[in-house]
Amino acid sequence: MTQAHPNLIWYEDLTRGDVALVGGKNASLGEMTRALGPDSIRIPPGFATSAGAYRHYLAANGLNDMIRDRLASLAAGRATLHQTGAALREAIAGGTWPAHIEAEIRAAYRELGLRTGRADPSVAVRSSATAEDLPDASFAGQQETFLNIVGETALLEACRRCYASLFTDRAITYRSLKGFDSAKVALSVGVQLMVRADSGGAGVMFSIDTESGFDKIVLITAAWGLGENVVQGAVDPDEYQVYKPFLDRGDVLPIVAKSLGAKDVKMIYATGAKGPTRNVPTSKAERAMFVLSDAEIVELARQARVIEAHYGMPMDMEWARDGESRLLYIVQARPETVQARVDVQTLKSYRILETGPALFEGLSVGAAVAAGEVCLLDSARDIDRFVEGAILVTSTTDPDWVPIMKKASAIITDHGGRTSHAAIVSRELGLPAIVGTGIATQVLHDHQEVTVSCAGGDHGVVYQGLARFAVDEVRLDDIPPTRTRIMLNLANPAAAARWWRLPVDGVGLARMEFVITNGVRVHPLALTRYAELKDDAVRAEIDLLTKGYARREDYFVETLAMGLSRIAATWYPKPVIVRMSDFKTNEYAGLLGGRQFEPQEENPMIGWRGASRYYAEGYKDGFALECRAIRRLREEMGFDNVIVMIPFCRSPEEADRVLEVMAQSGLRRGEKGLQVYVMCEIPSNVILAEAFAERFDGFSIGSNDLTQLTLGVDRDSGTLAGLFRERDPAVIWMIETVIARAHAAGAKVGLCGQAPSNDPDFARLLVQAGIDSISVTPDAFLAVKRIVAAVEEADAACPQGRG
């Protein structure tokens, strides 16, 4: 700044180095206005009062000694937090403006009107403290924001109230928690032209996955109206996830997740005695549709990437869409403060061992598990009722709840999304939280024992009773390298990103069935043959699920493709082997509308399953939807690292028929880099290995089914459990034989199963037989990696020991 001690500065004259002058929020807005305008980052114009203006205000009203004395009394225990905060806020809000500062604010407001062509422009008035939006402390929502402020007198009053909000109870508590001296912190006020989001939409955006720290995802939340409802968690917003590395590609659409929120209310402008803003119910149409179009989602994600690149760190941003111009604006940007502090060399994971019944679900925050007694509170004023270490249950939280939240072991709310206040503060405090449950305050009661589990991915579960769980820690700087590729078996897309830091060689088995069961939920033939459905209740439920889609089949394709894309994205460009659906007929029948289309079989395990369904008239159109989803995943979304795998293929002739119907759906082996593998789980796959190798690029040994069918032992039989041995000589012969024959034919061979983690000798046999890859569950990865490394090291030292 050229002026030594300015009272007011326009955004375009600020840089990110001006935190001491105008606080973190305003310094960031100035930096983006100045530096990122040429990169099409739209920042609403405005100005900021300085920290010096705040200090002038305090001095002119004789408040400095009073503030120090009140804070000293609080520290000494002579006054309560509530008494201290109330007295300080009243004194500051009751002050008068020094004449020269008042004149500068009035003049700047008139100038803003001239610049924007609006008399008495509507502005947002935001607090920006000199100790906020720092890389290790977000201070999310600790001071006040006032929206739709019109007129000079209203602006001066809002600025006074911003000054007073530096001493809300929650702000005093939070600064104490973070080690800041409240008497030394100053406040700047940002005055920014309002974006007409009241008739558009707004939300929050992170340039990183907030729960896992996966750095290749942009997370966006959105709701109708002004964004304050999203920030405070008063609404359940839409949620979108975008894969950053593909944002430069014009030939793909890298949206990997879309979730429709309830969006029951929206904040709009108000007039008269109702104040500057008010909440009104949304329409049925608004609740049923996404706030953002795909093009807008991608545009916001690109802006997030530009801002992140400029700052050189993951960012937390607020955005707004003008309802009149439909232009997108960034209205705030601050460093992300939670994942930035994570020890990237340590991976902690939680495993549920034994639970009571599941009570309900919500959006998970964090990945931890906590068990304890419920404390149900309606208001932050009930802080005296809260028992330290209890699980806080409430409708929603705002910054007034921070003193309670820091005493909790976990948090559950009825409302809010992953970018709400409850979520942000829970992450900072390291607490598991489940938000947006809708029913927590109706289902739970005081002193009830429950378990809060965020260990399963996006959806957290609240269980009845105190569950048994385990905590595992893995040091990522202590994992030995191996020649044999160690890959993962995954089913739940929402949990995939939790493991992104593991140095795996890809995914050896991605189970399509999980996405169909938990994401799609509908039998594919109930969509392709909808007119044949006989159950009106099933029709109604399908209508609800597929509402908004031009064709019902598109719902299946999009939901399946997006679910699988989250697994493919986590390890791109490493291979991700997706097994086509391998339900048994009784499992297919459990899908919505499925009973009408599935036969009853005496032994579904060796019945109409896997490849035999794909070309059959009784399922062919269902398999075509699966193929469409894979094609969308690879060609329209860009995840060409996906390899298709065919399960339970009994003969080479059957393989030919499957490959033919795949080609009819646009999936032709060898075209556009498509590889097709086959599960090796039937003795015929080994006996005719050369013939299968002519038709497939690789084999994946399913040791459970191969053992079952080689030995004639039902793997689910408790009576025969002692006979089910994957290290039986007959099974070992099968494995060694298929590896040798496949390699001779130029095909790869892997194994997916837990046996190598439980049996080091079995792992030794696989490595010595020349297996290309072993695929295991994430919790077994480290054990298998170390076993294989030890085997390889021993074989290298003593090559004559190879069998």
Side-chain angles (χ1 to χ4, degrees), residues 394-408:
T394 189
S395 178
T396 187
T397 71
D398 60 29
D400 288 331
W401 287 83
V402 171
I404 299 174
M405 296 169 78
K406 70 175 188 174
K407 297 180 180 179

Side-chain angles (χ1 to χ4, degrees), residues 515-524 527 541-562 592 625 628-629 632:
V515 182
I516 295 175
T517 300
N518 296 279
V520 179
R521 295 164 41 202
V522 182
H523 194 290
L527 300 172
E541 196 168 347
I542 290 174
D543 289 345
L544 191 61
L545 286 172
T546 59
K547 188 175 182 180
Y549 287 87
R551 297 191 305 169
R552 295 182 184 88
E553 296 94 328
D554 294 343
Y555 162 77
F556 184 100
V557 172
E558 178 176 297
T559 306
L560 181 55
M562 281 195 175
L592 184 63
L625 294 188
R628 279 182 56 195
R632 175 170 180 158

Side-chain angles (χ1 to χ4, degrees), residues 169-228:
D169 294 359
R170 74 231 185 190
I172 296 170
T173 299
Y174 194 82
R175 285 193 294 271
S176 175
L177 188 67
K178 293 294 181 180
F180 290 91
D181 184 345
S182 286
K184 294 181 180 178
V185 175
L187 192 121
S188 164
V189 178
V191 179
Q192 191 175 32
L193 185 71
M194 280 290 293
V195 177
R196 290 302 306 264
D198 60 309
S199 58
V204 177
M205 175 166 62
F206 284 83
S207 65
I208 192 172
D209 179 49
T210 53
E211 309 314 316
S212 68
F214 183 40
D215 58 2
K216 293 180 174 61
I217 286 292
V218 175
L219 172 69
I220 303 169
T221 56
W224 300 110
L226 303 174
E228 197 68 8

